[in-house]
Amino acid sequence: MERLGLPASAVLRQARLPATLHLNEHAFVTTAQYFALWRALEELYAKPALGIRLVEAADTAIHPPSTLAAFHARNYRDGIARIARFKRLCSPEQLHVADENGECTISSEWLYANEPTPAVATDVAFAFLVELGRRGTGQHLVPLRVELTRPDDKSGAHRDYFGCPVRYGAARDLLVLRSADLDCPFSGPQPRASRYPYARAGRRARRA
C-alpha cells in the first residue's frame, strides 16, 4: 500500500480500525473488518484496478512462507493446489477449482461473510493467481476469460492486465484458465512484474 502512496495508518483509520494495528504481528481481524479494509482502500485510492496494481507492485521475495511456497511448486497446477490447500486449512477464504473440458475455473468463497466480497479483494485474488503463473513460469500466460459480477468501469484496465475477454455483470466472479497452461513447469519465482521483459513491451500475449 505504501508503494501506492497510502500509509497503512490512514487506511486503518478509514476502516475504523486501530491506526497501529499493522504493527502488531499477532493481531487478527474478522472477515467484516477485513472487508472494511478493502473498502477503505477503494475510497482512498479511487483509481481503476487497485487490486491489480497492488499485486503487480508486490515483490515475490517478501511474500510470507504460506504463499511463497507456491512459487517453488513443480508447475502452475501444483502452485494453485498449494494456495488452495493453505486457504482450506488456515483461512476463511476458500478457492474452488474445477478442471474439465480444457478449462480450469477458479472462484473464491469467504465462509463467514455476510456481505458481497469487495471488488478489490476479488481483483487481488485473481491477479495473484495469474501472477503466480506468470512469475513461476516466466511466461506471459493469458487466461481464457474473466467473469465479474460488477458493472464495467469502462477503464479497460482488467482487459489490459488479463489480456483476455472480461465479462461484467456475470452471475459470479470467475477466473478461467487454460488447462494446458497448468502443466507449464515453474522455473522459480521472479522478482516482480515490472522487471519482466514483457512488462515493458506492451504485455504481448503468449497466445492470441
Side-chain angles (χ1 to χ4, degrees), residues 100-191:
E100 58 183 4
N101 299 323
E103 296 185 359
C104 176
T105 303
I106 303 176
S107 61
S108 173
E109 177 188 8
W110 288 89
L111 302 179
Y112 306 109
N114 295 314
E115 57 189 304
T117 305
V120 65
T122 297
D123 286 353
V124 166
F126 287 176
F128 172 79
L129 291 171
V130 171
E131 285 295 311
L132 172 65
R134 291 176 178 175
R135 300 189 193 195
T137 65
Q139 302 178 59
H140 190 64
L141 300 180
V142 175
L144 275 173
R145 66 183 180 277
V146 174
E147 300 184 11
L148 301 172
T149 57
R150 77 196 73 161
D152 189 349
D153 63 10
K154 307 300 182 182
S155 71
H158 290 82
R159 294 183 182 92
D160 289 345
Y161 172 75
F162 290 109
C164 66
V166 179
R167 176 190 172 195
Y168 295 92
R172 57 177 177 157
D173 296 310
L174 293 175
L175 172 66
V176 185
L177 306 173
R178 292 180 175 83
S179 296
D181 284 346
L182 301 185
D183 296 319
C184 291
F186 274 18
S187 56
Q190 304 298 317

Side-chain angles (χ1 to χ4, degrees), residues 6 10-11 13-16 35-47 50 120:
L6 293 174
V11 177
R13 283 194 295 267
Q14 184 74 12
R16 299 184 179 181
F35 282 9
L37 279 169
W38 287 123
R39 288 194 299 271
L41 275 170
E42 291 176 326
E43 293 163 1
L44 293 174
Y45 193 88
K47 296 181 181 180
L50 168 60
V120 65

Side-chain angles (χ1 to χ4, degrees), residues 194-206:
S194 61
R195 297 179 187 175
Y196 293 176
Y198 58 72
R200 297 193 185 96
R203 301 185 182 282
R204 185 175 62 183
R206 176 171 171 260

